[in-house]
Amino acid sequence: MMSRCGSTVTPAGGGAALTVLHPHEKKKQLAVRMCLLAACSPYGTGSARLAVIRMMRLLLRRLRPLSGTPGFLSAASERSFSVSPPPLPAARVRSAFVEFFRDKHGHLPVPSSPVRPRGDPSLLFVNAGMNQFKPIFLGTADPRSEMASYRRVVNSQKCVRAGGKHNDLDDVGRDGYHHIFFEMLGNWSFGDYFKEEACRMAWSLLTEHYGIPADRLYVSYFGGDAAAGLPADEDTRNIWLEIGVPTHRLLPFGLKDNFWEMGDTGPCGPCTEIHYDHVGGREVAALVNADSPEVVEIWNLVFMQYNRELDHSLRLLPQVSVDTGMGLERLVSVLQGKTSNYDTDLFTPLLHAIHQRSGVEPYRGRMGAVDVGQVDLAYRVVADHIRTLSVCIADGVCPGMSGAELVLRRILRRAVRFCVEVLRAPQGTLASLVPTVADLLGNIYPELHQETDRIVDIINENEAHFLSSLRQGSRLIERTLSRKDYKRGVFPASVAWSLHRDLGFPLDLVDLILEERGVRVDRQELDRLIAENQKVALELQAGDRAQVTLDVLSLTELQRLGVPHTDDSLKYDYHLAEGRYVFPPCHATVLALYDGQGLVSEVSEGQRCSVILDRTCFYAEQGGQSHDQGYFTLDELQDVLFPVEAVVRAGGYVVHWVTAADNLKTGDQLQLHLDQGSLSVSQLQQVERCINDIISANQIVHSQELPLQRARGISGLRTVDEVYPDPVRVVSVEMPVTELLDERSERQTSVELCCGTHLLQTGAIEDLVIVSEKQLVKGISRIVAVTGQEAARAREAGHVLSQDVDSLSARLGGSAPSGLDTAQCFSKEVGVLSDAVDNTPIPQWQRRELQSRLRALQRTSNTAVRKLETREAAVQAQALLEKHGRTELLVDLVETNSLSVLMKTVNQLSSAAPLSHVMLLSHQRYSGKVLCACQVPKVSPSLVASDWAVAVCRHLDGSAGGSEVVAKGTGNSNDITEALRWAKAFASQRMQR
């Protein structure tokens, strides 16, 4: 009998306490058990037992190359050989690393820097632990700073690798160890210790304190490069041999794998890496640095001893340094006995939370071809991406249109697509995962807790915009594929690029949608457009507006031609209607085009140009306010967007710099659209609550005339310009204007320049309700509110609509609809109530909440409709099979008013009879409308489904579309028998070819 006692195994009844170093190794366990049995035997003498114990200790030393005193996290202290040990939590793995270097080796713990690089334009994100220490390596650290005094440092650094030289985005989800966001554990020496100390500390931490078996580890070192004149790093090799690494596990590699450089110039040097074999019990040196998931690098030790000069030569540094990096996620997977990082406690809570919100089975860890439908890949992508999004937004990097912000927008939209399309999760799922991320990482990175609400709002806002763009982009793809000038099989690169640039449509999603239709993008042309866009972006980033502003010769030519100045009065032309501000539609005519060289009459798709219109609603950059953003559409081409990237004034003309998504010429008629976004529900409530608090306080409204120049000195006053008279009237709430002029005053209040009439006290307003909110330009929203009795009526209307939604929700939450007609009625009722919520003056925050609830109800009713449609389709399909059998050609009539039911019936027939060519029509007797759906075998070279449907529907004065296999459409006919005959004849003729 043996009892477990803390970090030791003690023989029952006393005796020597024995430390067990490797209980997981079968042979070692057997040896230890044999020794213990002998030591505890009642037949052995005390001296015999002592001898056996000595033998056991000797055996353990033989089994483990490195001896030493077990540390605070030794295998002995955490494991027993009779029961599988509890896995070491990731948080403890992280803290143990810092404690080891702080307590045992005198390192200074330094907090992680934000993932947004500080003063380093060469990086989009912090992508390595050493980024924040570059001033030390480069010798540019301020000698007065704390950083200049660093000698030994340890930390866990937040890193993001997406975009630029280090980009893991496309690999994420495909394996178990690539991540965009990860934590880099590292220790540094700046002119202190060097190779020997670094190697010994690393080996001690891994094998003694974390208890990783030494026979699972391989070590690589720099083997030299004759062409570069670099000798092999024999110093490091000899150090590892002294430590006890066998020669067959000590492997030389070249510049690519074991020589680290900061950039084209600067400090650099050889590195040595420690690799872990997840399988063990074998010799697999050939898998080191072979990109095998079974043998992975876990720690990289870089020895900076050279400086790369401008002429590419190397010089020895006067002060050598050590820079090490070990990915926390990989280390945790090793210590928790997992081959995939996603199976560790850094990810499992997230994967569980995703499953709770999804419409698919739980995560099963499948990869590659066995992951049917890419469900598990989607789990991994969403889990990885929400960590990245949370950390980046907390550090001030938000989804945007350029640089790191653009990369983050791509990450967010990739996550949304996997959430919605693969995991079948409802809108809002992604943001709902943020609190889980904060629970996992917030203790070490407290900003995640502090910024949770803001992160959720930003993700939800961007998701809603993307899903809207997704719907619009899908329509644009369909319209492009149905164009007469479309070249079958090759999708226009300009349209694909417009989808990506203007709507945020991921290019891989474009490829996926097109692949389903047997179409591909013109990749060569797309690459050209991308390169051109990058060039222009760099010009804009550098402040080059030359291409936007017309040159003096072109301005003179415009005046000679009598082109009138732009009427931009519409930027102020708005009115209040039904409780909300309305900006009237702006239609305009193209008067002139400027291609950067001179005036032209036409530009082609993909070309950047300046556009001058007869009128515009866009605000041009001036007076400290940035220009509006938005897009144009051609009157005859509403789905194609011409993004407006800059707006400036030049000689009385408003110049819009756009990218032509299609051909554009003078005389074209356009519709102008301003970009919008919205405040969150909580922000709307906060604004409304703040104003009503001021109303309740019945604060005094002060006013005073001041010289314009003196008014400019009031703190917090918006920019004033020449449109105000001098002297000007200043109006303030609660604080007299004279106090605002006191530079020593730190009090804040509402203040503005206004010559209009104002209330004398705020209490006269009685009540205020925000009924509309609209973003005019990025970061600036226009809020519409009603007061007094109008506010009371808005609150009452909101209450009534809320009750209506409650009632409908209760009815939908009861028993499922008995029939398809009932389910469709529910769906229509949800739509009618949604229209009422959208258009009735009610509190805007309440409108948002009701809209969200109604969207959920719409999804519920749609699900019920789809299930009943599937059931009805099954009945129809069975009846048709009994009537026709599994014939090669099946054309018939079905009684239904739903194109969806018709399509489902066709699908079920084709599943039951995969070699059949099936077309079904449905005749709406009262309207004469005909619904059409068809499907053909995938191996049907003579009859293409889209050709069949298009031909039949055109014969019926309608239209259709689809792919080579499935298609649908509509038409009109008073003679359905003739329509059936024609459809069958067309198919028969094609099939006989």
Side-chain angles (χ1 to χ4, degrees):
M1 294 288 293
M2 294 178 289
S3 64
R4 188 177 178 194
C5 182
S7 63
T8 62
V9 178
T10 307
L18 304 175
T19 300
V20 181
L21 296 178
H22 296 291
H24 290 305
E25 304 298 314
K26 298 288 185 182
K27 294 180 181 178
K28 297 174 187 177
Q29 288 186 24
L30 181 60
V32 170
R33 286 183 174 131
M34 290 173 63
C35 292
L36 278 171
L37 286 172
C40 298
S41 169
Y43 302 104
T45 63
S47 59
R49 287 199 298 269
L50 181 60
V52 172
I53 290 170
R54 286 173 178 167
M55 283 177 59
M56 186 193 73
R57 288 176 177 166
L58 178 61
L59 173 63
L60 290 175
R61 279 196 290 268
R62 290 285 301 274
L63 290 169
R64 187 174 192 170
L66 181 70
S67 62
T69 304
F72 54 86
L73 277 177
S74 69
S77 66
E78 293 295 325
R79 308 175 183 184
S80 83
F81 51 77
S82 59
V83 182
S84 294
L88 195 64
R92 187 70 189 107
V93 174
R94 184 195 298 112
S95 61
F97 181 90
V98 175
E99 290 166 8
F100 173 83
F101 285 100
R102 181 193 65 195
D103 299 340
K104 290 186 172 292
H105 299 285
H107 287 62
L108 174 70
V110 175
S112 169
S113 67
V115 294
R116 181 189 289 276
R118 291 173 176 168
D120 191 346
S122 67
L123 293 174
L124 291 175
F125 299 98
V126 167
N127 59 16
M130 55 75 58
N131 289 160
Q132 69 168 308
F133 304 117
K134 283 177 73 171
I136 301 178
F137 293 125
L138 297 174
T140 59
D142 190 326
R144 298 166 296 179
S145 67
E146 182 184 8
M147 183 178 287
S149 65
Y150 288 168
R151 290 297 175 266
R152 297 185 174 207
V153 169
V154 62
N155 83 338
S156 178
Q157 172 65 48
K158 296 175 290 187
C159 298
V160 173
R161 288 188 177 174
K165 178 181 177 182
H166 298 289
N167 184 7
D168 289 343
L169 179 56
D170 294 330
D171 295 320
V172 169
R174 302 187 187 280
D175 55 39
Y177 52 91
H178 275 99
H179 305 290
I180 301 176
F181 163 74
F182 63 96
E183 297 179 71
M184 184 70 87
L185 304 172
N187 60 290
W188 288 267
S189 164
F190 306 113
D192 195 323
Y193 59 83
F194 201 40
K195 296 180 180 180
E196 181 167 1
E197 295 91 334
C199 293
R200 290 190 179 277
M201 283 188 283
W203 194 259
S204 173
L205 177 62
L206 292 179
T207 62
E208 296 178 20
H209 296 272
Y210 284 137
I212 298 175
D215 59 8
R216 291 283 188 100
L217 300 178
Y218 293 81
V219 178
S220 65
Y221 69 96
F222 180 56
D225 188 282
L230 288 169
D233 188 4
E234 293 294 336
D235 291 342
T236 298
R237 179 178 183 275
N238 291 330
I239 290 167
W240 286 122
L241 289 173
E242 290 175 8
I243 288 173
V245 177
T247 54
H248 62 278
R249 290 174 175 263
L250 190 54
L251 312 170
F253 286 89
L255 285 170
K256 176 179 176 292
D257 294 301
N258 281 86
F259 195 89
W260 189 90
E261 303 199 44
M262 185 181 297
D264 294 334
T265 61
C268 57
C271 63
T272 183
E273 297 172 332
I274 302 174
H275 303 256
Y276 177 80
D277 178 13
H278 277 288
V279 177
R282 58 182 185 165
E283 294 299 332
V284 285
L287 295 182
V288 173
N289 282 337
D291 204 25
S292 167
E294 294 181 352
V295 179
V296 295
E297 172 208 334
I298 57 173
W299 206 344
N300 186 11
L301 286 65
V302 179
F303 306 127
M304 296 196 193
Q305 62 190 84
Y306 300 108
N307 190 71
R308 178 72 71 181
E309 303 292 325
L310 287 172
D311 61 1
H312 301 296
S313 63
L314 292 172
R315 293 177 58 190
L316 287 172
L317 289 170
Q319 174 180 288
V320 294
S321 299
V322 174
D323 162 16
T324 85
M326 176 161 56
L328 173 67
E329 291 77 9
R330 289 193 184 180
L331 176 61
V332 171
S333 72
V334 168
L335 295 179
Q336 294 185 0
K338 309 295 183 182
T339 55
S340 168
N341 298 350
Y342 294 94
D343 294 332
T344 69
D345 64 348
L346 284 169
F347 289 92
T348 49
L350 266 175
L351 296 172
H352 177 71
I354 294 168
H355 173 245
Q356 295 293 98
R357 296 156 174 81
S358 75
V360 296
E361 69 270 19
Y363 178 70
R364 294 169 58 187
R366 297 164 300 188
M367 296 181 191
V370 297
D371 183 17
V372 179
Q374 296 190 322
V375 171
D376 287 343
L377 182 146
Y379 268 109
R380 291 187 289 271
V381 167
V382 173
D384 175 274
H385 287 13
I386 190 59
R387 283 172 24 116
T388 304
L389 290 164
S390 300
V391 168
C392 288
I393 295 173
D395 278 350
V397 184
C398 297
M401 296 301 293
S402 63
E405 288 78 8
L406 180 60
V407 174
L408 200 65
R409 186 175 79 147
R410 182 186 173 198
I411 292 169
L412 185 144
R413 296 186 166 196
R414 189 169 186 251
V416 169
R417 180 170 67 86
F418 276 105
C419 258
V420 173
E421 296 188 354
V422 181
L423 297 176
R424 302 202 302 274
Q427 184 173 338
T429 291
L430 196 63
S432 73
L433 301 172
V434 173
T436 305
V437 176
D439 289 341
L440 290 169
L441 301 176
N443 289 339
I444 186 68
Y445 308 121
E447 60 274 11
L448 286 168
H449 284 306
Q450 298 161 7
E451 299 290 336
T452 294
D453 291 341
R454 189 172 69 90
I455 298 168
V456 168
D457 291 341
I458 289 173
I459 291 176
N460 275 332
E461 178 184 354
N462 279 272
E463 179 186 44
H465 180 67
F466 173 56
L467 291 176
S468 173
S469 300
L470 196 63
R471 290 188 289 269
Q472 187 174 1
S474 298
R475 290 196 301 269
L476 178 55
I477 289 175
E478 293 297 337
R479 193 195 65 79
T480 303
L481 292 175
S482 62
R483 271 169 36 179
K484 292 181 180 179
D485 60 348
Y486 162 63
K487 297 178 180 178
R488 183 170 294 278
V490 180
F491 193 79
S494 58
V495 179
W497 180 237
S498 176
L499 282 167
H500 178 66
R501 181 196 56 220
D502 307 328
L503 294 178
F505 223 71
L507 288 174
D508 56 348
L509 178 55
V510 176
D511 289 335
L512 186 63
I513 292 175
L514 295 178
E515 183 180 343
E516 294 168 354
R517 292 160 174 77
V519 179
R520 60 178 177 80
V521 178
D522 182 345
R523 184 60 57 179
Q524 185 175 356
E525 175 62 12
L526 181 61
D527 291 342
R528 187 193 69 78
L529 291 173
I530 293 173
E532 175 67 17
N533 180 79
Q534 291 172 339
K535 176 184 176 184
V536 173
L538 289 173
E539 291 171 352
L540 285 175
Q541 190 174 355
D544 183 7
R545 296 281 180 176
Q547 295 188 52
V548 184
T549 308
L550 277 70
D551 59 25
V552 64
L553 295 177
S554 298
L555 284 170
T556 303
E557 181 67 8
L558 286 173
Q559 293 161 2
R560 187 188 68 79
L561 294 172
V563 176
H565 290 162
T566 310
D567 175 11
D568 65 347
S569 59
L570 286 175
K571 66 186 178 186
Y572 299 125
D573 185 15
Y574 47 86
H575 61 279
L576 192 63
E578 298 182 356
R580 62 173 60 189
Y581 279 111
V582 176
F583 288 81
C586 182
H587 290 86
T589 303
V590 179
L591 300 182
L593 297 166
Y594 177 74
D595 67 356
Q597 304 296 323
L599 297 176
V600 294
S601 61
E602 185 174 4
V603 292
S604 57
E605 61 178 300
Q607 187 175 353
R608 281 182 165 79
C609 63
S610 296
V611 182
I612 296 174
L613 308 171
D614 61 336
R615 61 207 309 250
T616 185
C617 60
F618 279 77
Y619 183 89
E621 183 174 333
Q622 59 183 330
Q625 180 173 327
S626 63
H627 61 81
D628 282 346
Q629 293 182 340
Y631 57 91
F632 303 156
T633 56
L634 284 165
D635 280 0
E636 71 275 11
L637 211 60
Q638 286 293 314
D639 283 333
V640 178
L641 311 184
F642 294 74
V644 177
E645 297 161 0
V647 188
V648 296
R649 295 185 67 89
Y653 299 103
V654 175
V655 182
H656 310 77
W657 196 24
V658 309
T659 298
D662 208 301
N663 291 347
L664 185 66
K665 58 184 183 297
T666 55
D668 277 345
Q669 302 295 307
L670 304 176
Q671 185 164 343
L672 280 59
H673 306 266
L674 294 173
D675 275 354
Q676 301 176 15
S678 302
L679 291 174
S680 69
V681 168
S682 61
Q683 288 173 320
L684 286 166
Q685 290 175 316
Q686 185 180 358
V687 172
E688 194 173 287
R689 187 164 49 246
C690 178
I691 295 172
N692 279 308
D693 287 345
I694 295 173
I695 293 171
S696 300
N698 198 24
Q699 295 177 357
I700 297 174
V701 179
H702 302 271
S703 64
Q704 182 179 338
E705 281 196 346
L706 291 174
L708 185 60
Q709 189 60 36
R710 194 177 182 200
R712 292 178 188 271
I714 296 176
S715 177
L717 189 68
R718 289 181 299 171
T719 304
V720 295
D721 53 35
E722 66 278 4
V723 300
Y724 291 98
D726 191 3
V728 67
R729 189 164 180 259
V730 181
V731 181
S732 63
V733 178
E734 187 184 21
M735 283 184 65
V737 176
T738 51
E739 289 188 26
L740 295 173
L741 293 169
D742 186 353
E743 295 181 355
R744 294 169 298 178
S745 175
E746 296 182 357
R747 294 177 61 193
Q748 294 182 340
T749 189
S750 174
V751 58
E752 66 173 348
L753 305 181
C754 185
C755 300
T757 57
H758 288 260
L759 297 172
L760 298 179
Q761 288 183 276
T762 60
I765 299 171
E766 297 180 359
D767 189 11
L768 179 140
V769 171
I770 297 172
V771 294
S772 175
E773 179 269 328
K774 197 172 190 179
Q775 189 178 52
L776 301 182
V777 295
K778 189 172 179 62
I780 300 176
S781 289
R782 183 180 299 280
I783 289 177
V784 180
V786 292
T787 60
Q789 291 302 310
E790 288 294 321
R793 283 192 283 270
R795 292 189 192 279
E796 177 60 25
H799 179 68
V800 171
L801 286 172
S802 181
Q803 288 181 323
D804 291 343
V805 174
D806 289 341
S807 174
L808 183 59
S809 180
R811 285 188 287 135
L812 280 175
S815 59
S818 57
L820 182 57
D821 290 342
T822 305
Q824 289 174 334
C825 285
F826 269 131
S827 183
K828 289 177 182 176
E829 194 172 345
V830 173
V832 170
L833 191 52
S834 295
D835 288 340
V837 168
D838 289 346
N839 298 303
T840 304
I842 62 174
Q844 182 69 3
W845 64 264
Q846 190 175 31
R847 189 191 319 279
R848 297 269 181 79
E849 288 188 341
L850 294 178
Q851 287 171 335
S852 178
R853 292 181 60 192
L854 285 166
R855 282 194 295 268
L857 291 176
Q858 190 73 68
R859 285 193 294 270
T860 301
S861 63
N862 288 346
T863 300
V865 168
R866 284 195 297 271
K867 287 182 179 178
L868 291 166
E869 285 178 344
T870 301
R871 185 189 305 170
E872 182 176 324
V875 173
Q876 299 273 21
Q878 184 60 36
L880 289 166
L881 280 172
E882 292 174 358
K883 177 181 177 182
H884 296 280
R886 289 170 171 79
T887 181
E888 185 182 11
L889 177 61
L890 193 163
V891 178
D892 207 338
L893 188 67
V894 169
E895 292 292 332
T896 181
N897 60 2
S898 168
L899 183 57
S900 178
V901 170
L902 196 67
M903 195 73 238
K904 286 181 170 67
T905 306
V906 167
N907 293 153
Q908 294 198 27
L909 280 171
S910 296
S911 296
L915 297 180
S916 291
H917 299 70
V918 181
M919 174 174 281
L920 298 180
L921 303 181
S922 177
H923 192 212
Q924 315 300 300
R925 295 173 183 171
Y926 296 105
S927 64
K929 185 177 181 180
V930 177
L931 307 180
C932 170
C934 69
Q935 185 165 340
V936 302
K938 292 182 179 179
V939 290
S940 175
S942 57
L943 182 59
V944 175
S946 57
D947 293 346
W948 192 9
V950 167
V952 171
C953 290
R954 282 181 179 173
H955 178 70
L956 301 176
D957 297 324
S959 60
S963 67
E964 294 182 357
V965 178
V966 295
K968 59 186 177 181
T970 59
N972 291 278
S973 176
N974 293 322
D975 187 351
I976 193 63
T977 302
E978 189 277 336
L980 289 167
R981 182 199 59 76
W982 199 95
K984 190 170 185 177
F986 178 90
S988 297
Q989 183 182 7
R990 287 293 181 94
M991 291 167 64
Q992 290 172 3
R993 290 182 179 178

